[in-house]
Amino acid sequence: MNISVLGLGTWAFGSDKWWGWQSDSKSEEVLETAFENGVNLIDTAPVYGRGHSQTVIGRFLRQNKIREKIVLADKLGLRWHNRKVEHNLSKKSMLEEIDLSRKRLCTDYIDIYQVHWPDPDTPIAETAAVMEKFYAQGIIKAVGLSNYSLKQIQEFRKYCPVHILQMPYNMFERNIEIEIAPFCLQQGISLLVYSPLDSGILTGKFFFEKQRVPKDLRRKYHSGLKAPLLTINNEFFKQAKDIALNYNASLAQLALNWCIAQSGITSVLAGARNIAQIKDNLLCFAWKPKQLDLAKINELLEIRKREIKKSL
Ligand SMILES: NC(=O)c1ccc[n+]([C@@H]2O[C@H](COP(=O)([O-])OP(=O)(O)OC[C@H]3O[C@@H](n4cnc5c(N)ncnc54)[C@H](OP(=O)(O)O)[C@@H]3O)[C@@H](O)[C@H]2O)c1
């Protein structure tokens, strides 16, 4: 499977109170710009806007007749009832979900089908057996797991091959470096990383441009936008911006290039809401950070880590 290093994350296309409201026309413009500029990997999930992100993508692929040119990364395992979202990886639910997803995405097959989160109430063996069946039937082309621990991944692999892992990763969130990324390298598993911009925080816009944090999940939950991290992050951004400016680049590009340069990363899944954002993100390919600058960033990140420890 040939997948682009920059993948398009489409949670925001769902347009909901979690990730904020978004017009379909803007989402379509982002899809078009991404595709025209070589992005062939699109990541979505049924739970993004309760099917809406998938519907927007499915319509775009059908209208433009480009299904075969796109690698669709979809997910399953989070179901909703009224306002509540629940884990469900029972066989019955998985069989329902794959049909609903294929219908919304206007496709017979899903390239990368990822279990979104583990379900504490369903044995891993049951979930893995169903995924294995989908794979053997050819209705999915690769099996993926997201947000699983190494122990859970190893258990899953007893019953079903795992081709891809999808995990959170960015300058501020580096847990996968301990076990997951080395494991992927050793086992030849592709690693897709999500939230490479730390949900937009790493663009620095909430600090430099004093943009108001939108009324979505970030305002309520993101610790990076609250004291004491807010001040500590601000210091980091001031220094990191100087590095980005040496390349005439934005902080968003620097954050993406930092991820891409790390060992074991196959693709970064970055969200974008409009043409300006996707164009800015694509510009990360117009330059490459020097090793010296990557080392400087890591030094700044170490200082940040020490400051956080002190503040606790
Ligand atoms: N497997 C999972 O559990 C999981 C979890 C989370 C995400 N994901 C996937 O990963 C994708 C990306 O993650 P994410 O959306 O959480 O975070 P992200 O990619 O770190 O941040 C994306 C957001 O940052 C802002 N942004 C993007 N480019 C920008 C630019 N150049 N300048 C200024 N702002 C910019 C936009 O939001 P604003 O304009 O509103 O600031 C955009 O929606 C998701 O869409 C989804 O496909 C998967």
Side-chain angles (χ1 to χ4, degrees):
M1 211 178 271
N2 206 354
I3 61 177
S4 51
V5 174
L6 183 65
L8 180 65
T10 65
W11 186 0
F13 294 6
S15 183
D16 65 12
K17 67 169 184 156
W18 286 104
W19 210 196
W21 307 108
Q22 166 84 6
S23 80
D24 289 357
S25 59
K26 281 225 161 71
S27 302
E28 280 154 19
E29 284 172 0
V30 171
L31 283 164
E32 199 174 321
T33 309
F35 177 68
E36 278 171 358
N37 287 280
V39 173
N40 74 348
L41 174 64
I42 301 178
D43 182 72
T44 186
V47 76
Y48 299 163
R50 296 158 191 239
H52 194 66
S53 168
Q54 291 179 320
T55 302
V56 171
I57 295 164
R59 192 171 57 217
F60 177 81
L61 298 183
R62 195 188 60 228
Q63 283 174 354
N64 292 282
K65 301 188 174 64
I66 53 167
R67 172 64 188 98
E68 303 73 42
K69 293 185 175 148
I70 292 294
V71 177
L72 264 182
D74 191 26
K75 310 189 190 77
L76 82 170
L78 291 178
R79 307 296 303 268
W80 58 90
H81 304 283
N82 301 321
R83 290 178 158 262
K84 225 172 143 206
V85 174
E86 289 168 352
H87 294 276
N88 193 340
L89 286 171
S90 64
K91 182 176 178 186
K92 179 174 173 287
S93 178
M94 290 173 77
L95 294 176
E96 272 169 23
E97 274 209 87
I98 194 162
D99 284 342
L100 289 167
S101 282
R102 287 191 297 169
K103 203 166 167 194
R104 291 189 204 106
L105 289 163
C106 305
T107 185
D108 295 334
Y109 66 98
I110 291 163
D111 302 276
I112 304 173
Y113 207 34
Q114 306 154 112
V115 184
H116 206 151
W117 285 88
D119 171 7
D121 297 327
T122 309
I124 284 182
E126 180 177 335
T127 305
V130 182
M131 289 296 276
E132 209 280 324
K133 201 162 171 209
F134 290 156
Y135 181 59
Q137 287 170 337
I139 49 177
I140 70 172
K141 306 294 177 194
V143 175
L145 297 179
S146 184
N147 305 304
Y148 272 57
S149 69
L150 185 57
K151 202 167 159 224
Q152 290 167 327
I153 296 162
Q154 280 163 334
E155 169 73 7
F156 193 100
R157 286 178 93 206
K158 289 184 194 161
Y159 314 100
C160 175
V162 173
H163 307 103
I164 278 158
L165 295 181
Q166 185 181 137
M167 299 287 170
Y169 188 58
N170 59 58
M171 286 178 177
F172 292 169
E173 165 58 69
R174 300 175 63 174
N175 273 344
I176 60 166
E177 289 174 6
I178 303 166
E179 283 184 338
I180 299 286
F183 174 75
C184 285
L185 271 177
Q186 192 200 35
Q187 299 291 322
I189 294 175
S190 299
L191 181 54
L192 312 182
V193 295
Y194 71 76
S195 304
L197 302 172
D198 197 15
S199 311
I201 314 286
L202 284 166
T203 65
K205 63 185 177 184
F206 301 120
F207 302 87
F208 294 113
E209 297 160 29
K210 297 271 178 276
Q211 274 195 29
R212 262 175 75 75
V213 181
K215 257 195 191 162
D216 50 35
L217 78 171
R218 287 174 291 190
R219 190 178 297 185
K220 209 166 169 190
Y221 299 112
H222 207 301
S223 57
L225 294 163
K226 294 181 175 43
L229 253 66
L230 185 75
T231 330
I232 298 170
N233 286 348
N234 211 354
E235 273 314 303
F236 170 81
F237 288 130
K238 277 189 211 153
Q239 313 268 346
K241 190 153 189 171
D242 286 341
I243 300 176
L245 282 177
N246 284 337
Y247 298 94
N248 208 9
S250 65
L251 272 177
Q253 293 167 36
L254 184 72
L256 295 174
N257 264 335
W258 179 88
C259 278
I260 292 167
Q262 305 309 308
S263 125
I265 309 298
T266 309
S267 296
V268 292
L269 301 170
R273 281 186 184 282
N274 51 48
I275 294 188
Q277 288 182 355
I278 183 70
K279 280 194 170 162
D280 182 21
N281 297 347
L282 281 159
L283 275 173
C284 74
F285 295 115
W287 60 280
K288 210 173 163 192
K290 292 184 192 128
Q291 281 305 323
L292 196 77
D293 286 324
L294 289 170
K296 262 193 220 163
I297 294 168
N298 285 340
E299 253 173 58
L300 293 175
L301 290 170
E302 279 306 311
I303 296 171
R304 176 182 174 270
K305 216 158 96 184
R306 283 201 293 275
E307 290 300 315
I308 292 173
K309 259 196 193 147
K310 266 199 257 164
S311 75
L312 294 175

